[in-house]
Amino acid sequence: QIRLRTRSWVSSATCGPPERSRTRSRPRYFSPGSCAPRSTLAGLGLYGVVAYAVAQRSREVALRFALGAPAPRIRRMVLRQIAAMAAAGIVLGVPGAVRLGRAAQSLLYAVAAADPLALAAAAAVHAAVMLGAAYLPARRASRVDPMSVLRYE
């Protein structure tokens, strides 16, 4: 037996459960604070990916240390690469969000398809989560002992 649902699935794709009106099937508002768990989960996933990528480059980092690179330069190198990835995500994601927003215009309630404030806030949260997730692996890379890494490999 197959059960079909109405457009209530749209609210599960947004940040948090919306409050529903008794007379309408569309959500009344979305709570921005309910995005925090999703941003935290995204940050943990990004942290794992970045930590793995930095661990794969441990030999390169150790060699840079052995040749005299200071720790802040190593940290900046890792953070700059992550910032470039975040910028690429924003540059590709904002136009995609605008296009999808226009396609889903009939499903949106009280928000324009290309709301500049919402897009800017989403881009800022994306960049903050990316850089926050990258800081610990960058700090760990700047504290590596070059002799132990080069001796191990």
Side-chain angles (χ1 to χ4, degrees), residues 25-47:
S25 64
R26 290 185 177 181
R28 223 184 305 165
Y29 72 91
F30 298 106
S31 171
S34 64
C35 291
R38 290 167 178 86
S39 294
T40 303
L41 187 60
L44 288 173
L46 288 170
Y47 168 77

Side-chain angles (χ1 to χ4, degrees), residues 37-60:
R38 290 167 178 86
S39 294
T40 303
L41 187 60
L44 288 173
L46 288 170
Y47 168 77
V49 170
V50 171
Y52 179 75
V54 169
Q56 292 295 311
R57 297 179 58 192
S58 62
R59 185 176 173 106
E60 174 194 348

Side-chain angles (χ1 to χ4, degrees), residues 36-117:
R38 290 167 178 86
S39 294
T40 303
L41 187 60
L44 288 173
L46 288 170
Y47 168 77
V49 170
V50 171
Y52 179 75
V54 169
Q56 292 295 311
R57 297 179 58 192
S58 62
R59 185 176 173 106
E60 174 194 348
V61 170
L63 193 58
R64 287 179 187 268
F65 267 131
L67 293 175
R73 183 179 292 171
I74 299 294
R75 200 174 308 126
R76 266 194 317 267
M77 176 189 72
V78 173
L79 288 175
R80 190 179 315 121
Q81 290 170 348
I82 300 306
M85 283 189 242
I90 290 169
V91 166
L92 294 174
V94 168
V98 169
R99 276 190 234 112
L100 285 174
R102 287 190 181 135
Q105 180 71 38
S106 65
L107 301 175
L108 297 175
Y109 179 72
V111 177
D115 186 15
L117 182 62

Side-chain angles (χ1 to χ4, degrees), residues 39 46 79 82-90 119-135:
S39 294
L46 288 170
L79 288 175
I82 300 306
M85 283 189 242
I90 290 169
L119 292 173
V125 168
H126 172 73
V129 168
M130 260 315 247
L131 292 176
Y135 179 73

